[in-house]
Amino acid sequence: MPQMKVLLADDHPIVLMGVREIIERDPRFKVVGEALSPSELIEKISLLRPDVIITDYNMPGDEHYGDGSRLVEYLRRHFPEPRIIVLTVISNPQVLTWLYELGISGVISKSSGLEQILVALDAFYREGHYQQDMPDETSSDALDDVAKSLSQLTVKEFEVLRLFASGMAVGEIAQSLNRSIKTISTLKISAMRKLDVDNDQALLILCLKANLFT
């Protein structure tokens, strides 16, 4: 069987270097390219035609394809053939379940070790798929108080909160997600109520404490 072609995307060069080093330990897999932004990723998918895409969930600053849910939806709609692995520190069970339902092949936590990437690639090579358990919402009992609160958010609320924490204003989030300002404001207010915060400063402090948006 020929080498499996892997394309990497992350806005942190150190992460890219670490992931490449892990993958290239096994001669069955070849990193054919790296991207630092969603636009660069889309361009290189068309050019390199990878078998597997390993992408960060949070790559801010791209006006064309966005990141997070918007980017993953675009990848699944326009590039159905490559398997997709999402790297993230997000633990929100609703977001993770939505990603699997969308058709990605796996979610690998940056905080739990990137060695799992080789496990997933080995499964692709041997069996054609990577069997990963669906997230169990009851497992949130093991999370700290902040993570428990975040786990209550819907996918849309979480996405608005994630973009807000990255420094975007409500109007910019509305433009990025192609929604009205009123809709984004409503989602932000709903998220704040669930998180029991009553101002933007408290909201940002909670996001920093959770360390979920890097």
Side-chain angles (χ1 to χ4, degrees), residues 2 20 22 28 30 63 80 91 93 100 118 131 133 154 193:
R20 173 186 281 273
I22 290 171
R28 295 175 298 172
K30 179 178 178 59
E63 297 181 359
S91 59
Y100 288 117
L118 270 185
Q131 184 65 41
D133 293 335
T154 67
R193 286 174 179 165

Side-chain angles (χ1 to χ4, degrees), residues 61-77:
D62 193 288
E63 297 181 359
H64 296 290
Y65 303 104
D67 69 335
S69 64
R70 181 178 165 192
L71 175 63
V72 175
E73 286 180 327
Y74 185 91
L75 291 174
R76 283 292 75 192
R77 185 167 62 250

Side-chain angles (χ1 to χ4, degrees), residues 5-26:
K5 298 185 296 182
V6 183
L7 177 59
L8 309 178
D10 197 294
D11 60 325
H12 294 92
I14 292 178
V15 174
L16 288 175
M17 182 173 63
V19 174
R20 173 186 281 273
E21 191 275 330
I22 290 171
I23 293 173
E24 292 186 341
R25 295 175 189 172
D26 193 319

Side-chain angles (χ1 to χ4, degrees), residues 22-210:
I22 290 171
I23 293 173
E24 292 186 341
R25 295 175 189 172
D26 193 319
R28 295 175 298 172
F29 313 120
K30 179 178 178 59
V31 176
V32 294
E34 298 176 354
L36 292 169
S37 69
S39 291
E40 189 178 2
L41 173 61
I42 300 304
E43 179 183 348
K44 290 192 174 181
I45 293 173
S46 300
L47 180 66
L48 300 172
R49 300 189 178 277
D51 302 301
V52 181
I53 299 166
I54 300 177
T55 181
D56 187 15
Y57 188 81
N58 186 25
M59 291 190 292
D62 193 288
E63 297 181 359
H64 296 290
Y65 303 104
D67 69 335
S69 64
R70 181 178 165 192
L71 175 63
V72 175
E73 286 180 327
Y74 185 91
L75 291 174
R76 283 292 75 192
R77 185 167 62 250
H78 294 276
F79 304 101
E81 294 302 322
R83 301 173 180 89
I84 297 176
I85 293 175
V86 174
L87 300 180
T88 185
V89 292
I90 292 172
S91 59
N92 180 294
Q94 295 192 58
V95 174
L96 298 183
T97 298
W98 173 82
L99 286 171
Y100 288 117
E101 290 176 346
L102 196 61
I104 69 164
S105 297
V107 176
I108 294 178
S109 172
K110 288 184 175 181
S111 58
S112 65
L114 298 177
E115 299 289 338
Q116 191 66 24
I117 291 173
L118 270 185
V119 176
L121 292 177
D122 178 73
F124 293 154
Y125 195 89
R126 293 174 181 270
E127 304 170 20
H129 69 281
Y130 172 48
Q131 184 65 41
Q132 189 176 36
D133 293 335
M134 293 289 285
D136 181 1
E137 292 189 25
T138 61
S139 66
S140 62
D141 292 340
L143 303 175
D144 60 27
D145 291 340
V146 174
K148 285 181 181 178
S149 297
L150 288 168
S151 72
Q152 300 174 40
L153 303 180
T154 67
V155 173
K156 291 180 179 179
E157 289 169 347
F158 192 92
E159 196 68 0
V160 169
L161 181 60
R162 184 182 68 84
L163 295 174
F164 175 77
S166 74
M168 294 176 67
V170 168
E172 293 173 316
I173 297 172
Q175 183 176 8
S176 175
L177 298 179
N178 195 27
R179 296 289 187 272
S180 69
I181 292 178
K182 181 179 179 180
T183 296
I184 298 303
S185 296
T186 299
L187 289 168
K188 178 172 174 278
I189 291 170
S190 176
M192 292 176 70
R193 286 174 179 165
K194 291 180 180 180
L195 297 173
D196 195 26
V197 294
D198 56 8
N199 60 69
D200 287 353
Q201 182 178 355
L203 180 60
L204 287 174
I205 290 173
L206 185 147
C207 292
L208 289 172
K209 181 179 178 181

